[in-house]
Amino acid sequence: MTSATATRQAPSRLGRKTTSGLVTLFTWFVVFVFFFPVAWMVFTSFKTEGAAATFPPQFVTDLSLDRYRDILGRGMGPYLINSTIASVGSTLIVMLLAIPAAYGLSVRPITRWSDMLFFFISTRFMPVAASIIPVYIVLQKAGLLDNINALAFLYVGINLPIAIWMMRSFFAEIPREVVEAAQIDGAGYFRELVRVSLPMVSPGAAAAALITFIFAWNEYFLANLLTSTLARTTPPFLGSVVDGRGQFLAALCAASTLAVLPVVLAGWVAQKRLVRGLAMGAIK
Amino acid sequence: MAQTTAVDPAADADDTPPPSSSPRQALKANSASARERKFGRKLLLPAFVVSVIITQVPFLVTIYYSFQDWNLQRPNDRAFAGFDNYVTVFTGGSFIPAMIATIIIVGGSVLLSLVLGLGLATLLDRKFVGQAFARTLLITPFLVMPAAAALIWKWTMLDANVGMVNWALGLLNIPAVAWNTDFPLVTIIAVLTWQYTPFMMLILLAGLQSQSGEILEAASVDGAGGWRIFTAMTLPHLRQYLILATVLGTIMMIQVFDPVAIMTRGTGGTKTLSYLLYERAFVGLEVGEAAAYGVVTVILTIIVATLALRSVFKFLTEEGSRS
């Protein structure tokens, strides 16, 4: 890491270009190492089970989409659908609740706003340990175990705080004058929110929605515990692909590739906004 | 809930209202701002109620359960237990090891991913061929579903027979290692570090890029070497970003459950507090005892999180509301 700073600052010399090239080469090597497990997963998903289980590993072998056909044939589809319902549904509700709350917190700071912020942020960090036992027992008594809507509702609780935090930081960036001008023009508070502020924070809202979606899509603990067959989502399903008797590596890789694809693609597209959201608005 | 109100960010609120609001409130008539506050409260209420129902009410019930002698196998055999469950927690011999496991796993993973993240951020903070593409590839581990990451690492990377880690070691003539059976703790830390390094890198990269290039150039002209610039200027500049990355990383990892449940099932010193609670409640069906673990875990988390959050709270709110 020193050399990286050094090359940028070094006075021009003959060796400078070579050093810079070496640092670039080293950087790409590190990138390759970090990305390798993902690349290997995708590569293995195209192999036959036999080829996936050979050692030393085969780098040249017959590739096909057969494992994807197998895994979908073994009924992965419904799990993906359940994941979609839980994540999209909870994301929509989270945004419906978070946008007004964040607006209330930022554009029109209520008294003790900082208290309120602290409350919301701390609920995000409350361990699931705090609530899981009563939640399980209540759902069991109400016959709501293995119910995808119940799972989605719990995801709302998990993701609401982080969405409020992100949205608050986006609302806070709207210049006061814009809001005041709208009010002088006679717009009510509500109309001002919908007509003026909301359009200005829509890129931020998209980022908040994306992060909410990612957390819900990837959630394992609650999904594993509270669903069994009907409402099972993708993360707990993946473990069931592991087969104690037969070969399963290629099938596992195919299932995992399908499972991570939506979030990885969305994350790649929106990476700039993602950073800011994940740092909860602390970083521009 | 206790952790939200016991502390006094309210004091901050009175001293330093958000910059955007102070001049305005001074100018506006009282009635208008009162109406505005009422509107603000109305907007907040739904989110507040939902948060309380999903997170706070169940915790109160957990506290109640923790004083009950209640096993789900004998659902009708329920009685008030006093502090018995807490005595079991602290004398049962599982609590201290679980706390140590949590500290080692979270502490180790946070530290490693922070150091690697700093290294990667430094490498990426220069112009080179395919910089944007490299960054895109590097953030991928953080986006991968934790359950998939745990399975892929366990079966294709760390497996004793067909794992790629052993294959790479073999190229260097290092004999194969049975990671999953002999070093379960290492496997968990490896996966967590792999997943969180990109997160640390992104925050630190933002820090590096906010550093003024002119000042660095001036230092270089004055004859400061690369290492000296890094330690004397870059690191101090990064300080708040390092703190932020540490706090957010700790808070996200402290509930670690997925890799433990999927890779080791709590064996080999990997039984974290959250896994212990899961085991007591949903394998042992000891509701009362598990609830007591829950309460203790929450109290510990609150202490850590409150200290940690308070250290960055100012930074979060000030940076966020600066326009």
Side-chain angles (χ1 to χ4, degrees):
Chain A
M1 54 184 107
T2 46
S3 44
T5 343
T7 43
R8 193 170 53 188
Q9 315 310 330
S12 45
R13 255 183 246 139
L14 262 177
R16 197 176 134 192
K17 246 193 162 153
T18 338
T19 323
S20 170
L22 283 176
V23 174
T24 302
L25 207 66
F26 177 68
T27 307
W28 274 106
F29 172 73
V30 176
V31 170
F32 171 77
V33 170
F34 257 84
F35 189 70
F36 181 77
V38 177
W40 191 249
M41 169 184 81
V42 176
F43 181 57
T44 306
S45 74
F46 295 124
K47 291 183 178 178
T48 63
E49 288 297 354
T54 24
F55 192 85
Q58 296 184 338
F59 292 94
V60 182
T61 175
D62 288 341
L63 303 178
S64 74
L65 286 170
D66 290 352
R67 298 294 82 68
Y68 288 92
R69 199 180 309 138
D70 292 351
I71 201 75
L72 290 171
R74 276 162 69 179
M76 190 179 178
Y79 300 107
L80 290 169
I81 293 172
N82 281 336
S83 279
T84 310
I85 296 172
S87 4
V88 173
S90 66
T91 302
L92 284 177
I93 300 173
V94 163
M95 296 314 291
L96 274 178
L97 291 168
I99 289 176
Y103 184 76
L105 278 171
S106 62
V107 181
R108 302 162 205 287
I110 57 163
T111 38
R112 299 172 79 80
W113 69 285
S114 166
D115 254 353
M116 229 19 186
L117 277 179
F118 205 77
F119 167 78
F120 279 115
I121 196 170
S122 63
T123 59
R124 174 68 178 87
F125 305 128
M126 180 105 136
V128 200
S131 54
I132 186 58
I133 298 169
V135 164
Y136 182 89
I137 289 173
V138 165
L139 290 182
Q140 191 182 38
K141 283 200 172 141
L144 287 173
L145 284 182
D146 207 14
N147 181 309
I148 196 66
N149 295 324
L151 190 67
F153 182 67
L154 292 175
Y155 287 171
V156 170
I158 293 178
N159 285 323
L160 192 52
I162 201 160
I164 291 177
W165 259 86
M166 289 182 62
M167 290 313 300
R168 187 201 63 92
S169 92
F170 292 121
F171 274 124
E173 271 175 13
I174 300 178
R176 269 322 291 179
E177 300 77 46
V178 175
V179 176
E180 269 160 21
Q183 282 170 3
I184 290 166
D185 288 350
Y189 296 131
F190 183 73
R191 270 191 48 191
E192 186 272 309
L193 164 63
V194 175
R195 292 267 176 86
V196 180
S197 292
L198 211 49
M200 293 183 79
V201 296
S202 55
L210 177 66
I211 286 181
T212 309
F213 173 83
I214 290 179
F215 281 133
W217 180 269
N218 286 349
E219 204 282 332
Y220 173 83
F221 180 78
L222 294 174
N224 183 46
L225 195 62
L226 303 175
T227 67
S228 48
T229 50
L230 290 176
R232 200 82 161 157
T233 56
T234 315
F237 161 76
L238 288 181
S240 70
V241 180
V242 174
D243 184 339
R245 292 151 295 157
Q247 293 176 322
F248 59 83
L249 281 183
L252 175 64
C253 286
S256 300
T257 304
L258 285 178
V260 306
L261 205 61
V263 162
V264 167
L265 289 182
W268 281 354
V269 172
Q271 47 178 303
K272 273 256 159 73
R273 296 190 185 289
L274 213 59
V275 186
R276 189 174 160 198
L278 287 167
M280 298 197 287
I283 283 170
K284 293 284 140 73
Chain B
M1 241 299 302
Q3 92 272 27
T4 64
T5 49
V7 287
D8 59 334
D12 301 345
D14 297 335
D15 300 341
T16 55
S20 53
S21 72
S22 49
R24 189 183 97 258
Q25 280 181 346
L27 289 172
K28 282 229 164 171
N30 271 342
S31 63
S33 73
R35 242 188 306 142
E36 218 174 328
R37 273 205 298 276
K38 212 171 148 195
F39 180 70
R41 267 200 297 273
K42 249 189 256 170
L43 289 175
L44 257 173
L45 199 64
F48 181 71
V49 169
V50 170
S51 275
V52 167
I53 290 175
I54 301 184
T55 60
Q56 315 295 295
V57 172
F59 181 60
L60 295 179
V61 181
T62 304
I63 296 176
Y64 168 70
Y65 285 170
S66 73
F67 292 104
Q68 297 274 309
D69 178 17
W70 187 15
N71 186 307
L72 280 184
Q73 279 171 318
R74 309 180 299 275
N76 299 321
D77 199 10
R78 228 174 121 174
F80 180 69
F83 283 92
D84 286 1
N85 291 320
Y86 289 93
V87 173
T88 314
V89 165
F90 289 111
T91 59
S94 313
F95 178 70
I96 300 290
M99 215 167 90
I100 293 172
T102 311
I103 293 171
I104 292 176
I105 288 175
V106 176
S109 310
V110 167
L111 208 66
L112 277 174
S113 53
L114 200 63
V115 171
L116 290 173
L118 180 60
L120 287 174
T122 316
L123 283 178
L124 281 196
D125 186 32
R126 56 189 279 278
K127 287 215 159 31
F128 64 94
V129 186
Q131 185 189 18
F133 185 52
R135 182 183 135 128
T136 302
L137 292 183
L138 274 179
I139 63 166
T140 312
F142 186 71
L143 298 169
V144 169
M145 177 185 288
L151 287 164
I152 292 297
W153 270 85
K154 177 169 185 177
W155 297 109
T156 72
M157 291 292 123
L158 296 166
D159 187 79
N161 300 315
V162 298
M164 293 306 283
V165 170
N166 278 349
W167 175 76
L169 291 179
L171 295 181
L172 304 169
N173 277 325
I174 299 171
V177 179
W179 298 104
N180 291 322
T181 43
D182 293 351
F183 300 98
L185 203 55
V186 175
T187 66
I188 303 275
I189 295 178
V191 174
L192 282 175
T193 303
W194 181 69
Q195 291 221 272
Y196 280 93
T197 297
F199 175 73
M200 305 294 194
M201 177 197 81
L202 286 173
I203 291 183
L204 297 175
L205 188 58
L208 285 175
Q209 286 170 348
S210 70
Q211 207 174 8
S212 152
E214 282 167 30
I215 295 178
L216 290 178
E217 221 150 276
S220 160
V221 168
D222 286 350
W227 178 247
R228 195 161 150 64
I229 291 176
F230 184 77
T231 51
M233 303 182 69
T234 306
L235 273 186
H237 170 80
L238 278 184
R239 195 175 150 263
Q240 56 183 2
Y241 291 90
L242 284 165
I243 294 173
L244 182 72
T246 309
V247 170
L248 293 179
T250 306
I251 283 168
M252 282 198 267
M253 281 190 243
I254 206 160
Q255 303 194 27
V256 56
F257 179 84
D258 308 8
V260 178
I262 290 169
M263 298 174 79
T264 66
R265 300 201 170 270
T267 58
T270 61
K271 194 174 287 176
T272 56
L273 283 170
S274 54
Y275 194 80
L276 177 66
L277 172 129
Y278 163 80
E279 210 178 58
R280 296 312 298 149
F282 300 106
V283 183
L285 301 176
E286 285 286 354
V287 171
E289 192 193 324
Y293 276 116
V295 172
V296 174
T297 307
V298 170
I299 292 171
L300 288 176
T301 314
I302 288 167
I303 294 171
V304 174
T306 308
L307 291 176
L309 275 181
R310 284 185 65 70
S311 71
V312 290
F313 190 74
K314 271 240 156 84
F315 178 43
L316 284 175
T317 47
E318 276 165 16
E319 289 286 295
S321 54
R322 188 189 57 195
S323 47

